[in-house]
Amino acid sequence: MNYYFERTQISPLVRIRRVRQLPYPGELAVRSGQHVTPIQVVGRAEEPVDLQVLNLVDRLGISPGELTKHLAVESGEVVERGQPLWRKRSFWGRGRQVRSPIDGTFLGVSDNQLVLAPFANLIEVRAMMPGQVVGITPGRSVTLECDGTFIQALYAAGPDGFGRLKVVTPTADASFSTSQLTADMRGLVLVAGHVDDPDLLAQAEELGVRGIIAGSVPNKLLQASQATALTIMVTDGIGHQPMAAPIFQLLKQAQERDASLFVPDPLDRGSRPEIVIAVPTVGVAEPPAAPPSVLAVGQQVRLMREPYRSQVGEVVALYDQPQVTAIEGQWPGVDVKLSGGEVVYVPCANLDLIY
Amino acid sequence: MTATEPVTQSNDSFLIAECGHTNTTVVLFDIVEGGYRLVARGSAPSTVDAPWHDMAVGVQHAITEIVAATGRPLLESNGTLIMPTREEDGAGVDYFALLVSCADPLKVIVAGLLDDVSLASARRALATIFAQEVDSFSLADTRSMQEQLSAIWRHQPHLIFVVGGTDGGAADRLRQMLKTLRLGIGLPEDKPRPDLLYAGNSALREAFNEALGELTDLHVADNVRPDLDTEQLLDAARQLGELYERHQIAGLPGVAELYHWSSFPVQTTPRALAMVMQYLAALYQGHLLAVDLGSDGVTFVSAQPESVQLAVHSDLGLGRPLQHLLDTLDADAILEWMPYPLNADALADFMVMKALRPGSLPFTEEDLHLEQAIARQILRHGFKQSALHWEWPQRAHLPPFKLLVLRGAVFTQAPKPVQALLMILDALQPVGIFPVVLDKYGALPALGAIAAQAPLVTVQSLEAGALAELGWVVAPVGRARLGQPVMQVLMQPRGGGSIQMEVEYGSIEVLPLAPGQEAQVKLQPARRFDIGYGPGKGRTLTIQGGAVGLVIDARGRPVHLPSEDEPRRELLRRWLWELGG
């Protein structure tokens, strides 16, 4: 029995659930059952920053007991610059007090010192897709649901993105170049077989392009993407190869519709970038079926290594024993019939199940 | 269930699972013809990550492979392990053990006094587990207390590992550091507080306990540097292993089910490998080296009968680490090993792609050589780091080994065994006379995992051939002009026939000797060449065959590669051709 190492969901119409997670604990802005729009904020959180520590025991010559006894704020309280943190009144009415040097949160007392966290940048998390709130984890995440087209990509860079789809190359293996960028691409998510020129990213960003979905891009373009806030989504490979035919077809069919591009949290190992193209009505699609683990004849697969990289075919024969490959490797594998009719023996480890 | 008491029954069966990032391997040991043998091996893609998030599924898949190969039922219909063995039909096994190498590294802040003394020792102890040093505090650190505090808050480490000071030595600076740590650990945030492992000046243990005992989980280990000339890492390394298990392994999705099955304490693959290597070192009465090149980590084990050194590199590997490896490794140094032209951009593309699809296999000659070139440079870099960690004396050549052990898919899945051998010879450039074995079935750490509780299984399975022999290597030290004679070799296999050969400087030759065969080999180096017995001194020895045979590596040390591209590629192709790779 042989198992798939990789699988990719490419579904024309399916019920989609997406968790929108705050990067740090924060506040949610939606309630269960609520319908949301892509640009709607679903939650807010603050980014941690360098702390401020005040050693009043040494500075004022007071005891640890006095420090806690005369605190003017409570742990977790939001404080403003100049607000008293510690205040001790004297018998004569004139006391001593220490004011907050910053706007922020008073975290509390640690090792007899006051610890303050300055206000950080507020991070807003938007829905990025239309749908209904079907689950809530207080302070951390919401789960949204919609029906639509769902495509798992291979790699993504940049923030989550949203915009109208426009296919900008005639075929799945054609390249899109900087000279083809036009002013009417503002607000769009561009779909191309291949993008090669790192300079294209900065120009596309300047033009107001929301994102780029490409079959393949070179690593140098990924490096360049770090300097932009553009969403880049790669469906098939790093280097130069076409976009897999089923993905290109689906994106062509979805042209002029709104697409949501979800970039995974790098800490969530194994999670994949996702393209969601929602349809207006909810409830028409079925939830996705669990993909099979075991290889079987008739399954649609994408091949992952040269010389067949990105080609899609169908499993036509299984083997009990490993067969010998062109480079004399003897690995478990199957026969795959490619779209051109050629049948090739492919190691199981190089198959990506499409479901 | 966990139990540490030794297994006493001499006919029990053992099933051991090793969960890596890419592959899950399960091996079955049982009695065959009066002794323990590796009976079967099953392998399946790992399922610890999305979309499964359940490592037990991958283990069940791999067990199913064993069931299919042996016809022996091992799983109940609901997927649980049949244990102990059912007397009526022989289904199931008596014991199950779990090895893990798929957990993320432990995030650690190292705090100590001197970078090249206590902190160096702390880093050597950390190298025994999968760890990521996110920050370090030392006397050389010029940051303010506030900045260090923020570092603790921002990194949210699992552990702060404090070392420093000799026993009974000065304690002021550590006391000062204790204040910062107390402040940082005690931050009244609703975040989990880091554990603290103290392995410094023993006179300060009580002070640490008083200051931090109530704030967090405080662990105390023997001082890693009780005096300037002594290093003792054993206790700290042991506790680091336990902390790694608690923080990183115990939370893996699906591990609870496997804990429930497990008859022994769960171990990490590197630690189990170190254990079995020490056993082998006692058996061979000499210095052994094991190399494990995985997808998300590289491990080196240097074992002597009386001691073992372990170095785990979580930042190296042929999987996810490839994505950022060109920040560490020089692209030209990798491409130097390519027998075909390739530019640095194509190399970078390949590495990112392989990081995204770590389980995939090369399908073209170019892909194969590229993967193996990357492996060479990873091993070269990793071994250099390990030798520094272990404070091996800087010498022109490596110390001789009595056995070299290879592990990892890049070796076991090499289309030709000679490719595995050439990779390690190029990467490490060892000298002397030594056999090379391959952990082809992934059984070695498994045998280490149960070595303490079931030593008979380890002993008998190793004797019965759990490791695949690749062959013997003779690598003389010396210099000559290309083409000059380096050594006369006469190999006389038992059972007849003989091969005589003059080996020239700059070449690498192979004399085939099949697995199971034995031969007497007479080696006579030229006057200025040394095979370990002094310049020009020869030796006659008996060797065993292997998948490759006897290899005479007369390329010199270090191996010299021409700086011009085409002559270099031509030479690499010639070496491959000479070895039949």
Side-chain angles (χ1 to χ4, degrees):
Chain A
M1 198 182 297
N2 284 306
Y3 300 95
Y4 284 105
F5 274 81
E6 305 289 347
R7 61 206 66 209
T8 296
Q9 191 180 352
I10 304 173
S11 304
L13 186 61
V14 71
R15 185 164 305 161
I16 300 157
R17 281 194 170 188
R18 194 72 187 78
V19 176
R20 302 295 289 152
Q21 178 126 12
L22 303 185
Y24 309 99
E27 283 182 2
L28 299 182
V30 291
R31 63 184 188 284
S32 192
Q34 186 176 342
H35 285 271
V36 295
T37 62
I39 58 162
Q40 190 165 342
V41 173
V42 295
R44 297 177 182 87
E46 286 178 3
E47 208 171 8
V49 288
D50 283 0
L51 304 179
Q52 290 267 324
V53 180
L54 304 177
N55 187 343
L56 303 193
V57 172
D58 285 356
R59 200 206 292 180
L60 304 179
I62 57 175
S63 69
E66 279 183 295
L67 176 76
T68 47
K69 185 179 174 187
H70 300 292
L71 274 177
V73 286
E74 291 184 4
S75 292
E77 190 174 326
V78 170
V79 294
E80 289 176 8
R81 185 188 174 93
Q83 179 180 340
L85 298 174
W86 185 89
R87 185 163 42 206
K88 184 183 179 188
R89 297 185 195 287
S90 72
F91 181 77
W92 303 107
R94 290 184 62 192
R96 288 196 293 177
Q97 66 178 17
V98 174
R99 296 173 186 275
S100 172
I102 54 161
D103 292 333
T105 306
F106 172 61
L107 294 181
V109 180
S110 180
D111 199 27
N112 300 320
Q113 300 181 69
L114 306 189
V115 186
L116 296 156
F119 276 144
N121 292 334
L122 192 66
I123 299 170
E124 289 187 333
V125 175
R126 295 177 189 274
M128 299 310 282
M129 72 177 211
Q132 190 175 12
V133 179
V134 294
I136 277 185
T137 305
R140 287 317 302 246
S141 67
V142 298
T143 304
L144 307 177
E145 185 178 279
C146 73
D147 286 352
T149 299
F150 183 85
I151 299 167
Q152 281 182 318
L154 175 75
Y155 186 90
D160 293 335
F162 177 79
R164 189 143 296 180
L165 277 180
K166 182 178 175 68
V167 180
V168 292
T169 57
T171 58
D173 58 354
S175 291
F176 181 63
S177 66
T178 311
S179 62
Q180 292 169 278
L181 278 171
T182 55
D184 60 351
M185 289 174 179
R186 182 182 181 78
L188 299 181
V189 170
L190 308 180
V191 178
H194 174 74
V195 179
D196 194 64
D197 182 3
D199 293 340
L200 182 139
L201 300 185
Q203 293 192 33
E205 187 184 21
E206 202 177 311
L207 208 60
V209 170
R210 294 270 180 82
I212 293 174
I213 303 172
S216 62
V217 301
N219 181 58
K220 63 183 181 192
L221 189 133
L222 296 180
Q223 301 294 321
S225 75
Q226 290 171 7
T228 75
L230 202 62
T231 310
I232 312 292
M233 203 149 276
V234 184
T235 60
D236 284 73
I238 310 304
H240 194 158
Q241 62 189 94
M243 184 179 285
I247 298 177
F248 190 70
Q249 284 307 320
L250 265 185
L251 293 174
K252 259 175 93 168
Q253 286 165 18
Q255 183 140 239
E256 299 301 325
R257 284 164 55 194
D258 289 334
S260 307
L261 312 181
F262 292 111
V263 179
D265 179 349
L267 296 178
D268 186 6
R269 291 187 55 126
S271 62
R272 300 269 296 270
E274 295 166 354
I275 303 165
V276 172
I277 304 156
V279 296
T281 14
V282 180
V284 293
E286 295 291 323
S293 290
V294 180
L295 284 132
V297 168
Q299 288 165 342
Q300 193 182 27
V301 291
R302 174 168 54 174
L303 277 51
M304 297 193 295
R305 292 292 287 256
E306 296 292 1
Y308 306 108
R309 210 154 68 142
S310 275
Q311 293 201 41
V312 173
E314 184 184 317
V315 176
V316 291
L318 308 174
Y319 292 90
D320 287 336
Q321 297 297 324
Q323 306 292 299
V324 179
T325 68
I327 57 165
E328 299 184 49
Q330 211 171 344
W331 302 307
V334 297
D335 278 346
V336 176
K337 187 175 184 181
L338 302 176
S339 53
E342 186 188 359
V343 175
V344 290
Y345 178 77
V346 184
C348 300
N350 291 1
L351 297 173
D352 180 18
L353 170 75
I354 292 176
Y355 68 102
Chain B
M1 177 182 77
T2 58
T4 51
E5 64 271 20
V7 175
T8 50
Q9 283 82 357
S10 58
N11 58 349
D12 291 326
S13 54
F14 296 81
L15 192 70
I16 300 143
E18 184 194 349
C19 298
H21 273 293
T22 306
N23 288 301
T24 296
T25 305
V26 177
V27 285
L28 173 65
F29 295 97
D30 208 342
I31 297 279
V32 178
E33 294 173 356
Y36 273 104
R37 300 278 187 280
L38 170 65
V39 173
R41 166 191 186 270
S43 177
S46 288
T47 52
V48 67
D49 293 333
W52 303 271
H53 290 304
D54 186 350
M55 62 195 282
V57 172
V59 172
Q60 286 160 338
H61 286 167
I63 293 175
T64 309
E65 295 276 298
I66 292 183
V67 173
T70 61
R72 175 175 175 169
L74 294 172
L75 296 170
E76 302 278 11
S77 54
N78 64 2
T80 57
L81 186 65
I82 301 170
M83 200 169 70
T85 306
R86 280 201 306 245
E87 276 187 25
E88 60 272 27
D89 60 357
V93 289
D94 296 302
Y95 291 94
F96 175 82
L98 178 64
L99 285 166
V100 174
S101 60
C102 62
D104 282 335
L106 194 74
K107 284 202 291 181
V108 183
I109 289 179
V110 185
L113 299 180
L114 298 172
D115 263 307
D116 51 356
V117 185
S118 54
L119 282 165
S121 295
R123 290 184 176 115
R124 275 191 283 280
L126 269 186
T128 62
I129 61 166
F130 291 100
Q132 181 194 1
E133 184 184 322
V134 291
D135 210 328
S136 66
F137 304 156
S138 71
L139 292 182
D141 192 347
T142 53
R143 288 177 294 180
S144 66
M145 180 265 278
Q146 206 152 286
E147 286 169 320
Q148 290 184 332
L149 187 65
S150 295
I152 298 173
W153 200 59
R154 209 172 32 244
H155 290 305
Q156 293 184 40
H158 299 107
L159 175 72
I160 300 176
F161 182 20
V162 183
V163 291
T166 53
D167 282 347
D172 291 354
R173 304 304 293 262
L174 268 183
R175 281 186 201 280
Q176 209 172 326
M177 192 171 281
L178 176 58
K179 282 187 178 174
T180 307
L181 296 177
R182 181 177 158 77
L183 190 54
I185 290 172
L187 283 177
E189 262 288 293
D190 55 349
K191 291 174 185 168
R193 289 174 172 167
D195 280 20
L196 191 134
L197 174 60
Y198 180 68
N201 182 350
S202 56
L204 280 179
R205 283 178 187 170
E206 198 43 48
F208 269 78
N209 197 27
E210 270 177 26
L212 301 170
E214 287 181 5
L215 279 182
T216 189
D217 286 340
L218 176 72
H219 314 267
V220 176
D222 294 341
N223 188 355
V224 292
R225 295 298 281 257
D227 58 63
L228 281 176
D229 300 324
T230 310
E231 179 177 76
Q232 49 179 21
L233 302 180
L234 219 58
D235 192 29
R238 179 185 60 78
Q239 298 208 37
L240 284 168
E242 288 171 7
L243 287 163
Y244 179 67
E245 185 192 337
R246 190 198 314 165
H247 284 282
Q248 297 301 78
I249 297 178
L252 286 170
V255 80
E257 171 79 4
L258 300 176
Y259 266 122
H260 185 66
W261 293 359
S262 191
S263 323
F264 308 105
V266 175
Q267 287 193 43
T268 61
T269 303
R271 199 167 281 269
L273 181 62
M275 203 170 285
V276 76
M277 284 302 295
Q278 193 163 13
Y279 164 77
L280 281 170
L283 198 71
Y284 277 75
Q285 278 302 301
H287 185 193
L288 274 47
L289 184 76
V291 175
D292 184 356
L293 175 47
S295 64
D296 272 35
V298 181
T299 302
F300 293 92
V301 181
S302 163
Q304 310 259 14
E306 66 283 358
S307 66
V308 64
Q309 290 176 304
L310 175 63
V312 183
H313 303 270
S314 314
D315 56 338
L316 300 174
L318 278 171
R320 192 170 55 159
L322 284 177
Q323 205 164 330
H324 303 292
L325 211 58
L326 284 178
D327 299 342
T328 314
L329 300 185
D330 181 15
D332 289 340
I334 295 171
L335 292 172
E336 202 170 53
W337 293 106
M338 271 297 283
Y340 303 105
L342 192 83
N343 63 44
D345 284 343
L347 170 69
D349 291 348
F350 180 89
M351 288 172 75
V352 178
M353 197 60 202
K354 176 73 179 165
L356 294 168
R357 302 293 202 199
S360 66
L361 294 164
F363 212 62
T364 63
E365 288 283 344
E366 188 177 272
D367 267 18
L368 175 71
H369 290 303
L370 190 46
E371 248 181 70
Q372 294 185 349
I374 297 166
R376 280 172 170 88
Q377 206 50 34
I378 289 174
L379 291 167
R380 205 163 166 68
H381 174 76
F383 190 68
K384 216 175 265 182
Q385 297 297 315
S386 302
L388 281 174
H389 260 309
W390 296 334
E391 292 189 330
W392 281 10
Q394 302 281 312
R395 291 193 299 200
H397 310 295
L398 289 181
F401 306 115
K402 275 209 160 177
L403 179 72
L404 187 53
V405 180
L406 309 182
R407 263 182 63 76
V410 74
F411 297 121
T412 58
Q413 293 179 337
K416 294 177 184 173
V418 73
Q419 292 165 350
L421 194 60
L422 194 54
M423 261 187 279
I424 200 69
L425 292 181
D426 289 345
L428 268 51
Q429 303 189 10
V431 297
I433 305 172
F434 53 91
V436 183
V437 294
L438 181 65
D439 185 17
K440 191 173 175 181
Y441 312 105
L444 205 52
L447 290 170
I450 56 171
Q453 293 85 1
L456 201 61
V457 185
T458 305
V459 174
Q460 292 183 346
S461 301
L462 284 170
E463 282 172 357
L467 297 173
E469 278 152 352
L470 284 182
W472 281 70
V473 174
V474 178
V477 175
R479 277 174 182 275
R481 280 204 303 274
L482 285 177
Q484 278 194 328
V486 166
M487 196 185 320
Q488 299 286 338
V489 184
L490 173 66
M491 184 169 85
Q492 294 175 302
R494 206 174 289 275
S498 69
I499 307 174
Q500 191 159 10
M501 180 182 275
E502 182 178 82
V503 185
E504 295 173 350
Y505 189 73
S507 70
I508 181 164
E509 303 283 355
V510 62
L511 287 76
L513 185 66
Q517 271 195 300
E518 202 171 82
Q520 201 170 60
V521 178
K522 190 175 174 189
L523 303 164
Q524 183 53 57
R527 203 157 40 89
R528 283 169 299 166
F529 283 86
D530 185 356
I531 54 171
Y533 306 101
K537 292 200 171 143
R539 182 62 60 112
T540 299
L541 62 152
T542 303
I543 65 165
Q544 286 71 43
V548 178
L550 172 65
V551 172
I552 314 289
D553 185 354
R555 299 176 297 171
R557 296 289 185 262
V559 172
H560 171 73
L561 294 174
S563 53
E564 287 175 27
D565 289 341
E566 202 35 55
R568 187 181 61 251
R569 291 175 196 138
E570 173 59 35
L571 183 62
L572 293 171
R573 285 196 293 268
R574 182 158 71 83
W575 287 339
L576 273 169
W577 184 82
E578 281 172 351
L579 290 180

